Amino acid sequence: MHEFTREHALELDARDPLAPLRTRFVDDDPELIYLDGNSLGRLPVRTAERLQRVVRHEWGGGLVRSWADWIDLPTRVGDRIGRELLGAAPGQVAVSDSTTVNLYKLAAAALDARPERRVVVTDDDNFPTDRYVLEGLAARHGLELRFVHSDVDTGLSLDALASALGPDVALVSLSHVAYRSGALLDMRAVNELVRGSGALMLWDLCHSAGSAPIELGATGADLAVGCTYKYLCGGPGAPAFLYVRRELQSELRQPIWGWFGQREQFAMGPGYAPEEGISRFLAGTPAVPAIVAVEEGVGLLAEAGVHELRAKGVALTEYLIALADEWLRPLGFTLASPRNPAARGSHVTLRHPDAWRISQALLARGKVVPDYRTPERLRLGPAPLTTSYTQVWDGLNRLRRIVETDVHEEFSAETARVT
Ligand SMILES: *Cc1c(COP(=O)(O)O)cnc(C)c1O
């Protein structure tokens, strides 16, 4: 059937309005099929050039004088992320630290603001760092950490969440898109539910920022954090962002009282008196080259437009699932993501009992980069900005050939340290 031919993939690429943007990324090996842009985004050509300038001229030549331009980077780039990707008005987003540290800062601030409530709610399939940070805070403050059960393939149901809420809950923290299955939560419905219970809501946007439209302002979100090295293409270890709704900013105090959160920072005053605005959630000196790289990545996403990115993300994942149904289901694969595109982010997970060895064979023999996730799951993330339909076709074609010919059986069943 025509739908499953490579010609059809080429036709889809010819009609793809985002296709020209692929040339703006470093791609040294056209044979390589990268289906892990949701773990580490590709390097934009312009980022490499900008970093060279920042390092050589701003640092090398300008030295400490360049701080006049650098000092506002966390809020300047934060505002840009807010405007282009998060539906957040200026003054509510800053770039700083890692997602893990920002989760800690905002969760601690939220708990301090609801001292009479003794419960923190999250789901049992939330990303590990989120669960650990909340576990640590609960232990430190003598609170109960309440886990709502979430299905590893279809995500959290609103009914399950509703049944965990009550007058004792201070904070709810959830991922917008589940890291394993790609299940996408309805942000507006969750915000309403949590607000109705009197708790504060903290979102982790790591797998949705840059791939799904987010309306923090219009849906009444309280707090959010997210990565910049996934869909935002900021580079390995690029600093994260945090969002605090304007009305909450003066009420909340984060636990790290650093000088970048201080009012009149360079007055070097005797005691801590935090800024009024979003800057109070900063701590120490920002990682200048890394934030500059984030700015370039966000610029490219903005050029594409978040609605175009979402449309392509849906089309690519629908295409991937159609090919998987046709070619891979007979080989023992099952879909481990929501089938409804409205309930799914931009990655697709497939389950197979030999997923680990298959992922090894794909990398070594197929030149396809997937992601392995426990248990028995192959996660495929065709980032909308940098992946073509033909790459999805080629990637799945190589995958079916490997499994059909049992190539994966030559690989060890023992898992590696980094998966
Ligand atoms: C990738 C990811 C993180 C990573 O946090 P770091 O502090 O950058 O290591 C956190 N949460 C989710 C949901 C993620 O997908």
Side-chain angles (χ1 to χ4, degrees), residues 38-39 97-103 126-130 175-179 204-207 225-230 237-238 240 379:
N38 57 326
S39 230
D97 307 308
S98 63
T99 299
T100 303
V101 171
N102 287 334
L103 268 167
N126 202 353
F127 190 77
T129 212
D130 302 55
S175 291
H176 190 203
V177 168
Y179 76 101
D204 184 328
L205 307 177
C206 280
H207 280 285
V225 298
C227 296
T228 63
Y229 51 79
K230 293 173 178 164
R379 190 177 70 172

Side-chain angles (χ1 to χ4, degrees), residues 378-401:
L378 203 59
R379 190 177 70 172
L380 305 173
L385 192 54
T386 54
T387 314
S388 68
Y389 293 88
T390 310
Q391 286 167 337
V392 168
W393 193 94
D394 285 339
L396 265 73
N397 186 46
R398 292 183 204 175
L399 172 54
R400 79 162 150 162
R401 297 288 177 231

Side-chain angles (χ1 to χ4, degrees), residues 37 57 78 132 142 233 256 258 294 322 343 353 404 411-412:
H57 297 289
Y132 306 154
C233 299
I256 304 172
V294 172
E404 270 170 2
F411 289 79
S412 161

Side-chain angles (χ1 to χ4, degrees), residues 86-89 92-93 106 172 174 176 186-192 194-195 199-205 214-225 243-249 252:
L86 307 181
Q92 302 178 102
V93 181
L106 296 194
V172 178
L174 301 170
H176 190 203
D186 179 340
M187 181 175 280
R188 184 184 300 274
V190 171
N191 285 341
E192 280 171 12
V194 172
R195 189 180 325 114
L200 289 166
M201 178 66 212
L202 169 54
W203 288 101
D204 184 328
L205 307 177
I214 297 168
E215 292 292 343
L216 291 175
T219 64
D222 294 321
L223 308 163
V225 298
Y243 164 88
V244 179
R245 183 156 62 81
R246 188 183 304 282
E247 298 73 35
L248 288 172
Q249 289 174 5
L252 298 190

Side-chain angles (χ1 to χ4, degrees), residues 76-416:
R76 195 175 82 215
V77 178
D79 279 347
R80 182 123 195 245
I81 294 173
R83 182 175 72 240
E84 306 289 2
L85 306 176
L86 307 181
Q92 302 178 102
V93 181
V95 177
S96 73
D97 307 308
S98 63
T99 299
T100 303
V101 171
N102 287 334
L103 268 167
Y104 184 86
K105 292 190 302 191
L106 296 194
L111 294 173
D112 286 346
R114 297 281 184 278
E116 69 293 350
R117 293 172 171 239
R118 310 300 298 167
V119 178
V120 185
V121 170
T122 189
D123 74 273
D124 59 2
D125 194 41
N126 202 353
F127 190 77
T129 212
D130 302 55
R131 289 184 278 110
Y132 306 154
V133 162
L134 299 174
E135 187 185 346
L137 276 167
R140 187 178 170 82
H141 296 279
L143 307 176
E144 176 196 342
L145 177 57
R146 186 177 292 164
F147 286 106
V148 189
H149 178 63
S150 172
D151 186 278
V152 296
D153 297 334
T154 56
L156 177 66
S157 80
L158 288 183
D159 288 344
L161 177 61
S163 66
L165 300 180
D168 52 349
V169 176
L171 174 69
V172 178
S173 184
L174 301 170
S175 291
H176 190 203
V177 168
Y179 76 101
R180 185 184 356 239
S181 66
L184 171 67
L185 282 174
D186 179 340
M187 181 175 280
R188 184 184 300 274
V190 171
N191 285 341
E192 280 171 12
L193 200 58
V194 172
R195 189 180 325 114
S197 78
L200 289 166
M201 178 66 212
L202 169 54
W203 288 101
D204 184 328
L205 307 177
C206 280
H207 280 285
S208 58
S211 75
I214 297 168
E215 292 292 343
L216 291 175
T219 64
D222 294 321
L223 308 163
V225 298
C227 296
T228 63
Y229 51 79
K230 293 173 178 164
Y231 292 104
L232 273 61
C233 299
F241 61 83
L242 58 81
Y243 164 88
V244 179
R245 183 156 62 81
R246 188 183 304 282
E247 298 73 35
L248 288 172
Q249 289 174 5
S250 52
E251 181 193 342
L252 298 190
R253 277 230 181 169
Q254 60 126 330
I256 304 172
W257 293 11
W259 71 316
F260 270 73
Q262 171 78 354
R263 191 178 309 160
E264 294 180 39
Q265 177 185 6
F266 290 96
M268 309 285 188
Y272 180 69
E275 280 273 16
E276 281 305 315
I278 191 71
S279 300
R280 66 166 49 197
F281 300 95
L282 299 176
T285 304
V288 169
I291 300 185
V292 162
V294 172
E295 190 171 32
E296 292 298 331
V298 174
L300 275 169
L301 290 164
E303 252 186 76
V306 78
H307 292 282
E308 289 288 347
L309 288 165
R310 174 62 178 161
K312 184 168 175 195
V314 167
L316 277 175
T317 52
E318 286 286 274
Y319 184 52
L320 193 158
I321 290 171
L323 293 173
D325 283 344
E326 179 73 10
W327 294 342
L328 302 177
R329 198 159 43 188
L331 298 173
F333 286 88
T334 50
L335 181 65
S337 291
R339 200 166 266 280
N340 172 8
R344 191 175 69 223
S346 274
H347 66 266
V348 173
T349 299
L350 301 173
R351 180 176 189 177
H352 189 286
D354 255 337
W356 167 250
R357 294 199 295 177
I358 293 168
S359 71
Q360 294 305 99
L362 259 182
L363 258 174
R365 302 287 175 77
K367 272 201 152 183
V368 179
V369 184
D371 218 340
Y372 168 78
R373 284 287 171 264
T374 56
E376 302 183 344
R377 276 155 176 80
L378 203 59
R379 190 177 70 172
L380 305 173
L385 192 54
T386 54
T387 314
S388 68
Y389 293 88
T390 310
Q391 286 167 337
V392 168
W393 193 94
D394 285 339
L396 265 73
N397 186 46
R398 292 183 204 175
L399 172 54
R400 79 162 150 162
R401 297 288 177 231
I402 279 171
V403 180
E404 270 170 2
T405 53
D406 296 327
V407 173
H408 59 286
E409 292 187 358
E410 298 165 33
F411 289 79
S412 161
E414 205 144 303
T415 53

